[in-house]
Amino acid sequence: MSNFTTTVTEFLLMEFSDTRELQILYSLLFFLIYSAGLMGNLLIVIVTTFDRRLQTPMYFFLRNLSIVDACFISVTVPQASINSLVNNRAISVTGCVAQIFLVIFMAYVEFTLLTVMAHDRYVAICHPLLYPVVMSPRVCMQMTLTCSFTGLLYAGFHTGYTFQLSFCQSNVIHQFLCDIPSLLKISCSETFSNTLSLRGSAVVIGVDFFVFITASYISIFPTVLRFPVKEDQRKVFSTCVPHIIVVSLFLVSSSYVHLQPPSDSGSLKDIILSIFYSIIPPFLNPIIYSLWNKQIKEAARIVMKRMLLLRNKE
């Protein structure tokens, strides 16, 4: 760590454009995306907290997922928007450490929560009589705390393992945010073990969770298709389809970003992939759930009406 601090005091992130007008335009675009994503996730948090009809394990996990998404998008987008607005590429070493740790932590917790949500749907649909016991409030809280605790360990290990390296060749990160693959590319230390541990753990965790989610839905779909009433099938699918879309979106984007080698010089494709991974899923998740889930739509409509009535009274 001493070699690191004496050679590099800050990192330079990649610019979106060399043209000042485009920099301002990108800054405003990021601000709008961030505002919409933050408001959408906070709306789901409010709705699932105060609507009595949504006090079930499924919506408990959805609320926690929205909290993670709101934090996830807050870690990267405001910094990128401000940097583009003031034409400043620099990020401090401490800021880079914090950003990497939080991005890894949020991504890990999001994926584990999505896996737990698949288990929740499996128990609710395939074993409804056991559902109150298997997914009791205490068990749900324990699952959420386990996701968070293991996420802290996972993010802490990879962040610490990365920043024990020396950075003496360059301080230019060919990304719009700090990420481990880009830092490994500019390190003057041996990075084979870092790359192996990062990709190996990502593959193991990703494959394990993907297999678990897939196995859950392989059991769920035949059970749903045996329901005699079509309306019951539709209601169940309305809770499963958004989850499948969100899992697919997150898994495809994160896998492509983490498993491909970073380029020596920044490219538009790398930037787009990083944006797709770190911004688009948290931005789209509340939209996906709102479009497919009738209860969320109705509860959100009630909350919006109450807010308008309060504003009109003032």
Side-chain angles (χ1 to χ4, degrees):
M1 194 69 183
S2 59
N3 291 336
F4 172 79
T5 54
T6 56
T7 53
V8 174
T9 58
E10 65 179 14
F11 292 106
L12 298 178
L13 301 174
M14 187 175 177
E15 293 179 318
F16 292 103
S17 174
D18 296 328
T19 307
R20 184 59 185 149
E21 289 76 11
L22 288 178
Q23 290 177 347
I24 297 176
L25 179 63
Y26 287 137
S27 176
L28 294 175
L29 179 62
F30 275 121
F31 176 75
L32 291 175
I33 293 175
Y34 172 68
S35 300
L38 186 65
M39 290 174 61
N41 283 293
L42 290 180
L43 180 61
I44 288 184
V45 172
I46 293 171
V47 164
T48 54
T49 300
F50 294 104
D51 194 311
R52 294 181 179 179
R53 298 171 299 172
L54 305 182
Q55 302 305 308
T56 64
M58 182 182 75
Y59 294 107
F60 170 80
F61 291 121
L62 179 58
R63 176 165 63 250
N64 283 279
L65 181 68
S66 295
I67 293 173
V68 171
D69 281 335
C71 295
F72 198 170
I73 202 171
S74 298
V75 171
T76 56
V77 181
Q79 180 75 41
S81 180
I82 294 172
N83 286 354
S84 184
L85 182 63
V86 301
N87 194 22
N88 177 27
R89 300 169 55 196
I91 183 172
S92 66
V93 170
T94 303
C96 190
V97 172
Q99 191 174 68
I100 286 179
F101 176 84
L102 291 173
V103 166
I104 296 176
F105 173 71
M106 296 301 170
Y108 178 93
V109 174
E110 173 142 352
F111 200 18
T112 52
L113 281 176
L114 289 171
T115 305
V116 170
M117 291 171 74
H119 176 67
D120 169 76
R121 292 295 81 208
Y122 165 75
V123 177
I125 295 168
C126 299
H127 304 283
L129 297 179
L130 297 177
Y131 188 65
V133 178
V134 177
M135 301 302 294
S136 65
R138 180 179 179 181
V139 172
C140 292
M141 183 60 69
Q142 289 174 343
M143 287 181 173
T144 303
L145 292 176
T146 300
C147 293
S148 301
F149 179 70
T150 54
L152 289 173
L153 295 178
Y154 184 78
F157 169 76
H158 284 295
T159 304
Y161 200 30
T162 299
F163 283 95
Q164 54 86 31
L165 299 172
S166 297
F167 297 87
C168 51
Q169 294 179 350
S170 172
N171 69 334
V172 179
I173 297 176
H174 298 293
Q175 274 295 354
F176 82 102
L177 77 165
C178 282
D179 68 342
I180 291 180
S182 298
L183 286 174
L184 296 182
K185 204 70 178 178
I186 64 174
S187 173
C188 52
S189 302
E190 175 58 48
T191 61
F192 175 77
S193 60
N194 295 78
T195 303
L196 184 63
S197 65
L198 179 66
R199 293 188 179 179
S201 61
V203 169
V204 170
I205 292 173
V207 170
D208 287 348
F209 288 171
F210 176 74
V211 169
F212 185 90
I213 293 171
T214 303
S216 298
Y217 279 107
I218 288 176
S219 300
I220 287 172
F221 286 139
T223 302
V224 175
L225 293 176
R226 288 196 296 266
F227 286 1
V229 182
K230 293 295 183 181
E231 181 64 20
D232 292 339
Q233 293 182 4
R234 190 194 64 79
K235 288 181 180 179
V236 172
F237 280 128
S238 71
T239 63
C240 294
V241 172
H243 181 258
I244 295 174
I245 295 174
V246 170
V247 169
S248 302
L249 183 65
F250 182 80
L251 189 60
V252 170
S253 60
S254 59
S255 299
Y256 200 88
V257 167
H258 285 98
L259 296 182
Q260 72 161 353
S263 60
D264 294 322
S265 59
S267 66
L268 181 60
K269 186 185 77 169
D270 293 333
I271 292 290
I272 292 175
L273 288 173
S274 293
I275 291 174
F276 191 77
Y277 160 67
S278 60
I279 297 178
I280 301 302
F283 170 71
L284 288 181
N285 286 357
I287 298 175
I288 294 170
Y289 276 102
S290 298
L291 289 176
W292 282 90
N293 192 297
K294 184 178 180 181
Q295 288 181 298
I296 290 288
K297 284 193 292 187
E298 291 178 353
R301 192 178 298 114
I302 292 173
V303 169
M304 296 299 292
K305 286 182 178 179
R306 288 178 179 175
M307 293 175 62
L308 290 175
L309 288 175
L310 290 175
R311 180 175 295 181
N312 291 332
K313 288 181 179 180
E314 292 177 356

